[in-house]
């Protein structure tokens, strides 16, 4: 896109003045993310956010690894925002991408959700995010009793995935979006045994189904990322009124309160306008770091 055709953004570009003329945005989604975000954006900015099924986002990679992911989450969310523009006539395209990483020595899973918003008529791009720990667990089960215990411990609305290696083909059999043992037995009939404590011929691995429509915990993280995006769209450059004028951590080197040496802690933040380049740098509170964060006092 050449510079002369770039449209300039201001507050009126992102806040609908008139309910009859909503600002339009599109999100590519198979998994119900639009239902989580649309009410928030409608209430706060007068947006009409529509989900589109025009492109199978699973082509960009799947959690279960059936289609490997080759892009980083940020690249993937950016690509989805671009595809949302290509498959709609909306003013803004929204891309969403989640990741789950084992943390705290495998005791917790950190769910990070990224949202990338792109404007059709300029290079204006906003990246918003949220992360929360979720108590997702995976378990290899050898009896029906173990499977029942796993299913009973799931949070309300959380669906699960069952995987087993089929004996005749040595291929992995997978059943997804399950909410009860009866559904598992229907989809994987070879699992059936005569009593609950009889050992299964082949172990079955149960895990959370992380797809957004099957994972209420993830919907909460997506809603928080949506709130971060809304916040960014409601902070404007004091010079040109472009949105997303939000302070980010800028310089490290917060001085130690005992010896004054620079530490690895942030000492300043900067808001930078992506449209006119205006920057505002400010010191962060507190203005000194505790000595246990200092390489000299606590080597
Ligand atoms: Zn020190
Ligand atoms: Zn500006």
């Amino acid at each position: 896109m050449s510079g002369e055709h770039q449209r300039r953004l201001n507050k009126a570009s992102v806040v609908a003045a008139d309910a009859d003329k909503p600002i339009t945005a599109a999100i590519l989604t198979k998994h119900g993310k639009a239902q989580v975000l649309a009410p928030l954006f409608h209430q706060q900015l007068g947006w009409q956010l529509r989900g589109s099924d025009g492109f199978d986002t699973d082509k960009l990679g799947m959690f279960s690894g059936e289609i490997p992911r080759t892009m980083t989450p940020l690249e993937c969310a950016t690509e989805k925002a671009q595809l949302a523009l290509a498959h709609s006539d909306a003013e803004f395209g929204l891309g969403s991408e989640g990741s789950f990483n084992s943390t705290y020595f495998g005791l917790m899973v950190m769910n990070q959700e990224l949202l990338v918003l792109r404007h059709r008529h300029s290079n204006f791009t906003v990246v918003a995010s949220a992360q929360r720990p979720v108590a997702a667990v995976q378990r290899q089960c050898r009896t029906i009793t173990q499977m029942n215990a796993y299913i009973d411990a799931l949070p309300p609305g959380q669906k699960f995935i069952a995987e087993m290696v089929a004996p005749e083909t040595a291929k992995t059999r997978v059943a997804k979006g399950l909410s009860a043992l009866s559904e598992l037995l229907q989809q994987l009939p070879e699992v059936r045994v005569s009593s609950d404590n009889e050992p299964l011929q082949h172990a079955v691995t149960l895990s959370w189904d992380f797809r957004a429509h099957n994972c209420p915990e993830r919907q909460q993280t997506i809603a928080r990322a949506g709130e971060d995006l809304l916040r960014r769209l409601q902070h404007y450059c004091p010079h040109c009124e472009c949105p997303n004028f939000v302070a980010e951590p800028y310089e490290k080197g917060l001085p130690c309160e005992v010896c004054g040496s620079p530490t690895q802690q942030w000492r300043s933040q900067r808001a930078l306008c992506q449209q006119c380049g205006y920057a505002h740098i400010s010191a962060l509170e507190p203005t000194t770091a505790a000595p246990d964060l200092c390489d000299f006092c606590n080597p």
Side-chain angles (χ1 to χ4, degrees), residues 256-261 263 291 294-298:
C256 168
E257 69 180 18
V258 173
C259 75
S261 304
T263 65
C294 171
D295 287 342
F296 289 94
C297 298
N298 186 22

Side-chain angles (χ1 to χ4, degrees), residues 64-219:
S64 50
E66 286 155 50
I67 300 174
R69 309 193 145 199
T70 52
M71 292 187 277
T72 66
L74 181 59
E75 287 168 344
C76 202
T78 305
E79 177 72 12
K80 287 178 182 174
Q82 208 57 49
L83 286 164
L85 286 174
H87 287 84
S88 73
D89 55 7
E91 186 78 2
F92 290 94
L94 187 57
S96 154
E97 182 67 9
S99 59
F100 295 85
N101 294 299
S102 189
T103 184
Y104 305 127
F105 309 101
L107 294 173
M108 270 285 179
V109 172
M110 190 60 81
N111 171 209
Q112 185 184 49
E113 296 293 334
L114 278 176
L115 291 173
V116 173
L117 184 76
R118 300 207 65 166
H119 186 223
R120 182 178 296 281
H121 302 292
S122 72
N123 291 328
F124 179 72
T125 304
V126 185
V127 179
S129 66
Q131 61 173 15
R132 309 166 51 240
V134 295
V137 282
Q138 188 181 64
R139 185 163 182 203
Q140 200 180 56
C141 298
R142 300 195 169 274
T143 62
I144 296 285
T145 301
Q146 287 176 352
M147 290 201 272
N148 274 326
Y150 181 91
I151 295 163
D152 288 347
L154 289 170
Q158 177 62 53
K159 301 207 174 166
F160 65 97
I161 293 175
E163 278 180 83
M164 67 169 292
V165 178
E168 62 278 11
T169 59
K171 277 193 178 149
T172 304
R173 299 254 289 122
V174 183
K176 294 193 235 178
L178 303 170
S179 48
L181 182 67
S182 57
E183 293 173 14
L184 187 161
L185 296 176
Q186 207 167 19
Q187 293 195 40
L188 302 175
E190 55 272 52
V191 168
R192 202 176 289 275
V193 287
S194 54
S195 87
D196 284 0
N197 289 311
E198 183 188 325
L200 300 171
Q201 201 181 354
H202 304 281
V204 178
T205 302
L206 302 184
S207 56
W208 281 30
D209 189 334
F210 283 132
R211 290 173 296 169
H213 61 305
N214 288 336
C215 185
E217 289 278 355
R218 190 171 169 213
Q219 289 170 21

